[in-house]
Amino acid sequence: MPLRETCCSVCDFILEYDTPRIVLIKNKKVGLINRLVQLVILSYIIGWVLIWRKGYQDFDSIVSSVIIKVKGVAFVNSSGFGERLWDSADYIIPPEQESSFFVMTNLIRTENQTQGHCPEVSLHKCIIEVSLYKYTNACGVLTGKCVTFNEGVKTCEVLAWCPLESQTVFPNPALLGGAENFTVLIKNNIRFPQFNFSKRNILPNISASYLKTCVFNRTKEPYCPIFRLGDIVRETGDKFQELALQGGVIGILIKWNCNLDRSASECVPQYTFQRLDNRNVDETVSPGYNFRYAKYYENSAGKETRTLIKAYGIRFEVEVFGKAGKFNIIPTMISIGSGIALLGMGTVLCDMIILHLLKKRNYYKEKKYKYVEDYERVSP
Amino acid sequence: MPLRETCCSVCDFILEYDTPRIVLIKNKKVGLINRLVQLVILSYIIGWVLIWRKGYQDFDSIVSSVIIKVKGVAFVNSSGFGERLWDSADYIIPPEQESSFFVMTNLIRTENQTQGHCPEVSLHKCIIEVSLYKYTNACGVLTGKCVTFNEGVKTCEVLAWCPLESQTVFPNPALLGGAENFTVLIKNNIRFPQFNFSKRNILPNISASYLKTCVFNRTKEPYCPIFRLGDIVRETGDKFQELALQGGVIGILIKWNCNLDRSASECVPQYTFQRLDNRNVDETVSPGYNFRYAKYYENSAGKETRTLIKAYGIRFEVEVFGKAGKFNIIPTMISIGSGIALLGMGTVLCDMIILHLLKKRNYYKEKKYKYVEDYERVSP
Amino acid sequence: MPLRETCCSVCDFILEYDTPRIVLIKNKKVGLINRLVQLVILSYIIGWVLIWRKGYQDFDSIVSSVIIKVKGVAFVNSSGFGERLWDSADYIIPPEQESSFFVMTNLIRTENQTQGHCPEVSLHKCIIEVSLYKYTNACGVLTGKCVTFNEGVKTCEVLAWCPLESQTVFPNPALLGGAENFTVLIKNNIRFPQFNFSKRNILPNISASYLKTCVFNRTKEPYCPIFRLGDIVRETGDKFQELALQGGVIGILIKWNCNLDRSASECVPQYTFQRLDNRNVDETVSPGYNFRYAKYYENSAGKETRTLIKAYGIRFEVEVFGKAGKFNIIPTMISIGSGIALLGMGTVLCDMIILHLLKKRNYYKEKKYKYVEDYERVSP
């Protein structure tokens, strides 16, 4: 032994193996508790970490692109418009957005506005502010005069786009209620860069002829990428004709959860629809969804005129999310490793019971612990 | 004992309990170090993991939708425009975007452009390239002729939208400087899907009448969802009238950090504003934020004319972020478990001290280790 | 000893140190296995956790803003258009978007459309549906009459924007094929809020004069933020003139992976380009990328007319991603701690071998375990 020590203590260190000395206690109560705790931890590791959370897989997040195409025409025959047909170039505003689209379903139109002076429509519509540049939601700038609006009513004169928007209530029923039957084709290409896996929501087994006629249906046609707007709204729990009046925001969520250890054909999109804005109709501060835009003309005199449109409608936001998992040795090792570390917790728990709660605790303490006095105290 | 062994070794295994044999060393120095290390680790676990990082909670990320509505009119009286009023349909371009909006604050307008031939405005504005299709920032295609631009100055003739944009400097002060007083209503609905919790930034205790008059103020009205553009810019540290000249990009950040173990009424939005582009004014490559767009007309002769507008302005980007936490037994267990595993590190550290640094190391080594020779060496 | 126990058991507890009793086995085979396993785990911790995954760093995710400016003009001389020049106000639709832009490369124009009655162009273009409001991709609403389309051909009459879009195939070669030479300046400001670090893709050493002339080139000019559209498309593996025909979606990915422990000047952007939509040309359901929009006019009679444009083009989506890492003591401690916990796994593995697989297992078992009988059995 002294020889070995001097000649090759490194070899010695390398070739020896240290393992904790274990006290094996034969006590039914504590034994059972110990095994029970271990069982709970083991089932947590296997059930939750490995099977449910797929702890043996490496994950990658999704990269996605969305192309949207709305089809359909709406025929309007109202007193204000006469017979008029609206197609996608008319009701999609702006014509192109990255992953959302706005479909106009109702509108208030004020034609032939020019810059000029005119009486305010009502005191309620434009809040009067005395100073010109005070922040205000007035329709224009007050000139300080008081002019006749109509018989017997005088209102403040404003410098504004005249005539002012006079209609204060949206048409009911919605002018473009026919939008319920519009369809939207959503083309969604996804990629999981880490696994070099890409797919699109037009699945390989979908034929071109099928795509010309199909409409998404949760039970019958769950993989058809063409959606009827009315169906989307119905699934959110709203009624299209009610929503069309004031507008709103609806999310089209596409979820791709792919287990790439299985066949690629099992990696398919799941569509869900959600109302994203506040549904509450008794909300008084600009409920629904609307905005104003204008078409500008030049009249024969060369003066700029515009048609102001207050557009009510539904904004659809397409959101793609999901992740892909694939077996990888490193996360597997880490999951198992942290599981084994957790198994140690069972010992800690049982030690507490055996050393502090049991009647025979002093006996067990003696067995578990080896008391070592300090050197000085012992050596003399 | 032999009987038990033969009859039921499985029962035996189940009912026995193994715990490491511990050497208890009574040494003030090492004991103190050990306890200190354990104290540090314990306070790390309790302070950092459990309290600060809320290791006892499960977290969910936010799902959000934003509706934006800008109000206000700007009155412009300049030599170029005459008296003109700009309302939101005029200065919001494009009229609808998902979660950002652009407010035009300054502009250069070139009216009555038609396709034709005209002289270049200056050599500096359009870089001359000899070949027609070489990439270039020229205003048009060179015809090869040299024509009179104005008295004594000849420039190259181009095929372009004529007349060319001639103004090279933006108006100062900004034409739509009145935008400082515009207000924007931001309606933000959020959801934490995992906890089935949703809320909006118009808090339940906010009345409709309050919303008609309030303006956000960090100290006095921190929950009013209506913001004055001038206030937003001031909080970023910029001056509105300076920013309005050349434009810029500003972020409106809405942060929802919700502890759902507490009352839902404590889950409120926090607004912060940030300049997102480069503030540096001596930047020479297209500083600020601007883009060109055109309004198209048909003149009486049926020819297409357009008004080209170089719009300077502020793009506001609304970004919603945050997370919600709620007590959950699984992350709690994991936090505590990994904490206990860390406690083991204290032992490793003290072992190093006691076995390698202390004078009495050989004595302690003897106590800690039980040397077991290889079987062959011992048995004979 | 009894005195100490009674007087100050708390002091006692504080000043004592418990460490597991270790059995040191001198067996070459097991020792070697043990050391090998430890070596693997150690190299995993140092190599993977610390060096590769930078386990000693705290990470922050990126906050970014993007400003895009497209330059270039395209000259078109076709039978349908005559000589016409397109500039950025013409071909960028809509003029402003948050972090993407659309460049029109090809178009089908239908001029002077007014609301009226006209014959359908062909049975194939507008699918006939008997009921007016059935969802359909018809061009208009069927009046029920059958009228002469051209000599010998009768089609259904529709109420629509007349005349209908008649051209069914996109122009070949693409009208705005000159877009290949357009350039785009991408200004990207990034921030890592946690580390209070901000930078932009116009690096500090880039001069204004350099920026006026440079064009991105992966090998020669990797930090020039001005990109030629043709170069972007070429790097994705497509041919610009082919892509320009039908349009597509291309991602411009900007990656910032910054190690803030090193010099800030090493934190530079990396540009990559990717085709995001499906490249497959034999796709029959609206391949490529196109949308319709309209320019509205008022003719001399005051009637609304419009020019319908089916715009084919390339949508470029700028995506900024990345993260920054900086040394922090807490993640370092956690990485090392979990590494030491993993080292324990080596012991578990070797225990299995030594106690169950070796011939001398019973000898080692006796040495490792101390059997403690239950109290009752022993005491009497």
Side-chain angles (χ1 to χ4, degrees):
Chain A
M1 182 81 170
L3 195 82
R4 285 176 58 87
E5 207 169 342
T6 46
C7 94
C8 176
S9 70
V10 175
C11 283
D12 213 32
F13 170 74
I14 287 172
L15 295 177
E16 78 192 9
Y17 167 61
D18 47 352
T19 178
R21 181 138 158 79
I22 299 294
V23 182
L24 246 175
I25 295 170
K26 292 196 192 305
N27 176 308
K28 278 180 198 168
K29 219 192 284 173
V30 183
L32 260 176
I33 291 169
N34 182 36
R35 294 304 170 196
L36 263 176
V37 170
Q38 285 179 344
L39 203 73
V40 167
I41 293 168
L42 259 179
S43 43
Y44 157 78
I45 296 166
I46 293 170
W48 177 259
V49 177
L50 286 182
I51 296 174
W52 187 252
R53 298 282 288 262
K54 300 218 168 49
Y56 59 89
Q57 287 190 330
D58 202 6
F59 292 101
D60 192 14
S61 52
I62 204 164
V63 173
S64 150
S65 86
V66 173
I67 294 180
I68 293 158
K69 218 170 167 121
V70 182
K71 284 199 173 173
V73 290
F75 175 71
V76 176
N77 191 352
S78 74
S79 54
F81 287 93
E83 284 196 339
R84 198 186 195 282
L85 185 95
W86 297 76
D87 65 8
S88 66
D90 295 325
Y91 59 71
I92 301 285
I93 307 149
E96 204 254 332
Q97 285 190 87
E98 202 173 321
S99 61
S100 66
F101 60 102
F102 172 82
V103 175
M104 182 160 62
T105 55
N106 210 355
L107 71 154
I108 294 173
R109 194 165 64 163
T110 313
E111 286 182 297
N112 276 320
Q113 286 190 325
T114 53
Q115 292 275 337
H117 296 79
C118 48
E120 271 198 324
V121 173
S122 78
L123 296 179
H124 301 293
K125 191 146 174 69
C126 308
I127 291 169
I128 294 174
E129 296 273 348
V130 177
S131 82
L132 282 191
Y133 282 120
K134 205 70 182 292
Y135 42 91
T136 159
N137 51 0
C139 314
V141 175
L142 294 166
T143 59
K145 291 183 200 161
C146 197
V147 293
T148 308
F149 170 57
N150 57 19
E151 244 180 284
V153 178
K154 281 197 158 198
T155 59
C156 297
E157 194 193 56
V158 285
L159 170 71
W161 283 98
C162 290
L164 295 180
E165 193 182 87
S166 61
Q167 207 177 339
T168 49
V169 205
F170 43 80
N172 192 345
L175 283 174
L176 290 155
E180 187 164 3
N181 291 319
F182 293 173
T183 56
V184 55
L185 163 66
I186 297 176
K187 298 205 287 179
N188 176 216
N189 274 46
I190 59 140
R191 250 166 45 85
F192 294 107
Q194 201 176 310
F195 304 131
N196 204 12
F197 178 87
S198 63
K199 203 163 181 181
R200 52 192 194 125
N201 67 337
I202 300 174
L203 302 177
N205 58 348
I206 289 182
S207 70
S209 61
Y210 173 76
L211 268 181
K212 280 198 195 302
T213 57
C214 77
V215 172
F216 176 82
N217 181 302
R218 187 157 300 287
T219 48
K220 290 179 202 155
E221 315 268 15
Y223 301 125
C224 174
I226 296 171
F227 305 87
R228 197 176 150 263
L229 299 194
D231 293 344
I232 291 176
V233 173
R234 206 192 51 236
E235 281 218 11
T236 67
D238 284 280
K239 280 169 188 157
F240 193 91
Q241 296 303 331
E242 278 174 21
L243 184 63
L245 289 176
Q246 294 200 74
V249 184
I250 283 179
I252 299 175
L253 314 177
I254 308 180
K255 193 173 166 187
W256 293 84
N257 270 358
C258 294
N259 185 342
L260 297 185
D261 292 334
R262 298 204 190 154
S263 155
S265 66
E266 288 184 38
C267 173
V268 289
Q270 257 188 299
Y271 303 97
T272 45
F273 312 112
Q274 251 174 24
R275 179 82 183 259
L276 293 181
D277 66 326
N278 199 43
R279 193 173 304 222
N280 206 345
V281 279
D282 60 349
E283 194 187 332
T284 47
V285 183
S286 58
Y289 189 65
N290 65 71
F291 58 87
R292 283 186 182 83
Y293 75 100
K295 295 177 192 171
Y296 295 87
Y297 305 103
E298 228 162 54
N299 64 12
S300 48
K303 201 174 176 191
E304 192 181 24
T305 69
R306 72 172 194 185
T307 296
L308 178 69
I309 291 167
K310 185 173 185 183
Y312 297 86
I314 309 171
R315 186 173 75 201
F316 293 90
E317 298 182 358
V318 181
E319 272 168 59
V320 181
F321 57 104
K323 60 178 183 176
K326 204 172 190 175
F327 173 78
N328 188 314
I329 188 69
I330 288 171
T332 312
M333 292 288 288
I334 291 173
S335 291
I336 292 174
S338 65
I340 286 169
L342 267 179
L343 274 182
M345 276 182 67
T347 303
V348 173
L349 198 71
C350 292
D351 271 4
M352 279 178 185
I353 295 168
I354 220 165
L355 300 174
H356 298 285
L357 301 181
L358 288 191
K359 262 191 269 175
K360 300 159 270 182
R361 54 184 176 264
N362 286 324
Y363 171 74
Y364 289 125
K365 236 178 235 175
E366 217 168 83
K367 297 295 178 190
K368 182 174 168 73
Y369 291 112
K370 175 182 180 185
Y371 295 95
V372 175
E373 284 302 311
D374 213 356
Y375 193 61
E376 287 97 293
R377 286 191 204 122
V378 181
S379 51
Chain B
M1 182 81 171
L3 196 81
R4 282 176 58 85
E5 207 171 342
T6 47
C7 95
C8 177
S9 69
V10 176
C11 284
D12 213 34
F13 171 75
I14 288 171
L15 296 177
E16 78 192 11
Y17 168 62
D18 46 352
T19 178
R21 181 138 159 80
I22 299 295
V23 182
L24 247 175
I25 295 170
K26 293 197 192 302
N27 178 307
K28 278 180 199 169
K29 216 191 288 174
V30 183
L32 261 176
I33 291 170
N34 182 36
R35 294 304 169 196
L36 265 175
V37 169
Q38 283 179 345
L39 203 73
V40 167
I41 293 170
L42 258 179
S43 43
Y44 157 76
I45 295 166
I46 292 170
W48 176 259
V49 177
L50 286 183
I51 295 174
W52 186 253
R53 295 284 289 260
K54 300 219 169 48
Y56 59 88
Q57 286 189 332
D58 202 6
F59 292 102
D60 192 15
S61 51
I62 205 165
V63 174
S64 150
S65 86
V66 173
I67 293 178
I68 294 158
K69 216 169 168 122
V70 182
K71 283 197 174 175
V73 291
F75 174 72
V76 176
N77 191 353
S78 74
S79 55
F81 287 94
E83 285 196 335
R84 198 186 194 282
L85 185 94
W86 297 76
D87 66 8
S88 66
D90 295 327
Y91 60 71
I92 301 286
I93 306 149
E96 204 255 331
Q97 285 190 85
E98 203 173 320
S99 61
S100 66
F101 59 102
F102 172 81
V103 175
M104 182 160 64
T105 55
N106 210 356
L107 71 154
I108 294 173
R109 194 166 64 162
T110 313
E111 285 182 299
N112 276 322
Q113 286 190 326
T114 53
Q115 292 277 335
H117 295 80
C118 49
E120 271 199 322
V121 173
S122 79
L123 295 179
H124 302 293
K125 193 149 172 66
C126 307
I127 291 168
I128 293 174
E129 296 274 348
V130 178
S131 82
L132 282 190
Y133 282 119
K134 204 77 180 288
Y135 42 92
T136 160
N137 51 1
C139 313
V141 175
L142 295 166
T143 59
K145 292 183 197 158
C146 198
V147 293
T148 308
F149 170 56
N150 58 19
E151 243 180 286
V153 178
K154 281 197 158 199
T155 58
C156 297
E157 194 193 54
V158 286
L159 170 71
W161 284 101
C162 291
L164 294 180
E165 192 181 88
S166 61
Q167 206 176 340
T168 49
V169 204
F170 43 80
N172 191 345
L175 283 175
L176 289 155
E180 188 164 5
N181 291 318
F182 293 172
T183 56
V184 56
L185 164 66
I186 296 176
K187 299 205 288 180
N188 176 216
N189 274 45
I190 58 139
R191 250 165 46 82
F192 294 108
Q194 200 176 312
F195 305 131
N196 204 12
F197 178 88
S198 63
K199 202 164 181 178
R200 54 194 193 123
N201 68 336
I202 300 174
L203 302 177
N205 58 349
I206 289 182
S207 70
S209 60
Y210 173 77
L211 269 181
K212 280 198 195 303
T213 58
C214 78
V215 172
F216 176 84
N217 181 301
R218 186 157 302 287
T219 49
K220 289 179 201 156
E221 316 267 16
Y223 301 125
C224 175
I226 297 170
F227 305 87
R228 196 175 150 263
L229 299 193
D231 293 344
I232 292 176
V233 173
R234 208 193 49 237
E235 283 219 9
T236 67
D238 284 279
K239 281 169 188 157
F240 193 91
Q241 295 304 331
E242 279 175 20
L243 184 63
L245 288 176
Q246 293 201 72
V249 183
I250 284 179
I252 299 175
L253 313 177
I254 308 180
K255 193 174 166 186
W256 293 84
N257 269 358
C258 294
N259 184 342
L260 298 185
D261 291 334
R262 299 203 190 156
S263 155
S265 66
E266 288 184 38
C267 172
V268 290
Q270 257 189 298
Y271 303 97
T272 46
F273 312 113
Q274 250 175 25
R275 178 82 182 261
L276 293 182
D277 66 325
N278 199 45
R279 192 173 306 220
N280 205 348
V281 279
D282 60 348
E283 192 187 333
T284 47
V285 182
S286 57
Y289 188 65
N290 66 69
F291 58 87
R292 284 186 182 83
Y293 75 101
K295 295 177 192 172
Y296 296 87
Y297 305 103
E298 227 162 55
N299 64 12
S300 47
K303 200 174 178 192
E304 192 179 24
T305 69
R306 71 172 196 185
T307 297
L308 178 69
I309 291 167
K310 185 175 185 183
Y312 296 86
I314 308 171
R315 186 174 75 201
F316 292 90
E317 297 182 358
V318 181
E319 270 167 59
V320 182
F321 57 102
K323 60 177 180 175
K326 203 172 192 176
F327 173 77
N328 189 315
I329 187 69
I330 287 171
T332 312
M333 294 286 289
I334 291 172
S335 291
I336 292 174
S338 65
I340 287 169
L342 267 178
L343 273 181
M345 277 181 65
T347 303
V348 173
L349 198 72
C350 292
D351 271 4
M352 280 179 185
I353 295 168
I354 219 165
L355 299 175
H356 297 285
L357 301 181
L358 288 191
K359 264 189 267 172
K360 301 158 269 180
R361 55 182 175 266
N362 286 323
Y363 171 73
Y364 289 125
K365 236 179 234 176
E366 217 167 84
K367 296 295 178 191
K368 183 174 165 72
Y369 291 110
K370 175 183 181 186
Y371 295 94
V372 175
E373 284 301 312
D374 214 355
Y375 193 62
E376 289 95 295
R377 289 194 200 117
V378 181
S379 52
Chain C
M1 183 77 175
L3 195 79
R4 284 177 58 85
E5 205 170 342
T6 46
C7 94
C8 176
S9 71
V10 176
C11 285
D12 212 35
F13 171 75
I14 287 171
L15 296 175
E16 78 192 11
Y17 167 62
D18 47 352
T19 177
R21 181 136 159 79
I22 299 294
V23 182
L24 247 175
I25 295 171
K26 294 195 191 304
N27 177 309
K28 279 178 196 169
K29 216 192 285 173
V30 183
L32 261 176
I33 291 171
N34 181 36
R35 294 303 170 198
L36 264 176
V37 170
Q38 284 178 345
L39 203 73
V40 167
I41 293 170
L42 259 178
S43 42
Y44 158 77
I45 295 166
I46 292 169
W48 176 257
V49 178
L50 287 182
I51 296 174
W52 187 252
R53 296 283 289 261
K54 301 219 168 48
Y56 59 90
Q57 286 189 330
D58 202 6
F59 293 102
D60 193 14
S61 52
I62 204 164
V63 174
S64 150
S65 86
V66 173
I67 293 179
I68 294 158
K69 219 171 165 122
V70 182
K71 283 198 174 173
V73 290
F75 175 72
V76 175
N77 191 353
S78 74
S79 54
F81 288 93
E83 284 196 339
R84 197 187 195 282
L85 185 94
W86 297 77
D87 66 8
S88 67
D90 295 325
Y91 59 70
I92 301 286
I93 306 151
E96 203 253 334
Q97 284 189 87
E98 203 174 320
S99 60
S100 66
F101 59 102
F102 172 82
V103 175
M104 182 159 64
T105 55
N106 210 356
L107 71 153
I108 294 173
R109 194 164 65 163
T110 313
E111 286 182 298
N112 277 320
Q113 285 190 326
T114 53
Q115 292 277 336
H117 295 80
C118 49
E120 273 198 322
V121 173
S122 79
L123 296 179
H124 302 293
K125 192 148 174 66
C126 309
I127 291 169
I128 294 174
E129 296 274 346
V130 178
S131 82
L132 282 191
Y133 281 119
K134 205 71 180 293
Y135 42 90
T136 159
N137 51 1
C139 312
V141 174
L142 294 167
T143 59
K145 290 183 199 161
C146 197
V147 293
T148 308
F149 170 57
N150 58 18
E151 243 180 285
V153 179
K154 282 195 156 200
T155 59
C156 296
E157 194 194 54
V158 286
L159 170 72
W161 284 98
C162 289
L164 294 179
E165 192 181 270
S166 61
Q167 206 176 340
T168 49
V169 203
F170 43 79
N172 193 344
L175 283 174
L176 289 155
E180 187 163 4
N181 291 319
F182 293 173
T183 55
V184 55
L185 163 66
I186 296 176
K187 298 206 288 179
N188 176 215
N189 273 45
I190 59 139
R191 250 165 45 81
F192 294 107
Q194 200 178 309
F195 304 131
N196 204 13
F197 178 88
S198 64
K199 202 162 181 180
R200 53 194 193 121
N201 68 336
I202 300 173
L203 302 176
N205 58 348
I206 290 182
S207 70
S209 60
Y210 173 76
L211 268 182
K212 279 196 196 303
T213 57
C214 77
V215 172
F216 176 84
N217 182 302
R218 186 156 301 286
T219 49
K220 289 180 202 154
E221 317 269 15
Y223 301 125
C224 174
I226 296 170
F227 305 87
R228 196 176 150 264
L229 299 194
D231 293 344
I232 292 176
V233 173
R234 206 192 50 237
E235 283 218 10
T236 67
D238 284 279
K239 282 169 186 156
F240 192 91
Q241 295 304 332
E242 277 174 23
L243 184 63
L245 288 176
Q246 294 200 72
V249 183
I250 283 178
I252 299 175
L253 314 178
I254 308 180
K255 193 173 165 187
W256 293 84
N257 270 358
C258 295
N259 185 343
L260 297 185
D261 291 334
R262 298 205 189 153
S263 156
S265 66
E266 289 184 39
C267 172
V268 290
Q270 257 189 299
Y271 303 97
T272 46
F273 313 112
Q274 250 173 26
R275 178 83 183 260
L276 293 182
D277 66 325
N278 199 44
R279 191 172 304 221
N280 206 348
V281 280
D282 60 350
E283 194 186 334
T284 47
V285 183
S286 58
Y289 189 65
N290 64 71
F291 58 87
R292 284 186 182 83
Y293 75 102
K295 295 178 191 171
Y296 295 87
Y297 305 103
E298 229 162 53
N299 64 12
S300 48
K303 202 177 175 189
E304 192 180 24
T305 69
R306 72 173 195 185
T307 297
L308 178 69
I309 292 166
K310 185 176 185 182
Y312 297 85
I314 308 171
R315 185 173 76 201
F316 293 90
E317 298 183 358
V318 181
E319 270 167 61
V320 182
F321 57 102
K323 60 177 183 177
K326 203 173 191 174
F327 173 77
N328 188 314
I329 187 69
I330 288 172
T332 312
M333 293 286 288
I334 291 174
S335 290
I336 292 174
S338 65
I340 287 169
L342 266 179
L343 275 182
M345 275 182 66
T347 303
V348 173
L349 198 71
C350 292
D351 272 5
M352 279 181 185
I353 295 169
I354 218 165
L355 300 174
H356 297 287
L357 300 180
L358 290 190
K359 262 190 268 174
K360 301 159 268 178
R361 55 181 175 265
N362 286 323
Y363 170 74
Y364 289 123
K365 234 179 237 177
E366 219 167 83
K367 297 293 177 191
K368 181 173 168 73
Y369 290 112
K370 174 182 180 186
Y371 296 95
V372 174
E373 283 302 311
D374 213 356
Y375 193 61
E376 289 97 292
R377 287 193 203 119
V378 180
S379 53

